Amino acid sequence: MQKPYVEHLNVVKQILRYVVGTKDIALKYSKLPSFILSRFSDSDYGVDRDDRKSTSPYVFSIGLGVISWASKK
């Protein structure tokens, strides 16, 4: 913040262009009787035969809409 460079200004411009270009994209959730936060997860312990690493995916949802997900090794 004290010594911004041209690269910093370019990154800020890129972020603003992205925000302006995606302002109409949104997740819409309707009010449902079962508007509950849920988490689903699974574990796969060392089944990958190449590297023997486990996989642990998860999904967070509210009602019928997914809000976050990931799968890590």
Side-chain angles (χ1 to χ4, degrees):
M1 300 303 285
Q2 295 176 7
K3 291 186 176 183
Y5 293 108
V6 174
E7 294 86 14
H8 296 115
L9 180 61
N10 291 337
V11 170
V12 170
K13 286 181 182 179
Q14 185 177 5
I15 291 169
L16 291 175
R17 275 189 236 115
Y18 174 80
V19 170
V20 168
T22 59
K23 66 182 176 182
D24 295 330
I25 300 172
L27 294 174
K28 295 183 180 182
Y29 296 98
S30 60
K31 191 170 184 179
L32 299 172
S34 63
F35 201 68
I36 298 171
L37 175 65
S38 302
R39 178 181 192 251
F40 302 97
S41 63
D42 189 14
S43 295
D44 189 4
Y45 297 106
V47 175
D48 187 347
R49 294 182 181 187
D50 293 330
D51 60 9
R52 294 289 186 205
K53 291 186 178 179
S54 62
T55 304
S56 55
Y58 69 85
V59 174
F60 281 98
S61 64
I62 294 180
L64 299 174
V66 173
I67 57 172
S68 177
W69 67 273
S71 181
K72 296 182 180 183
K73 267 193 175 187

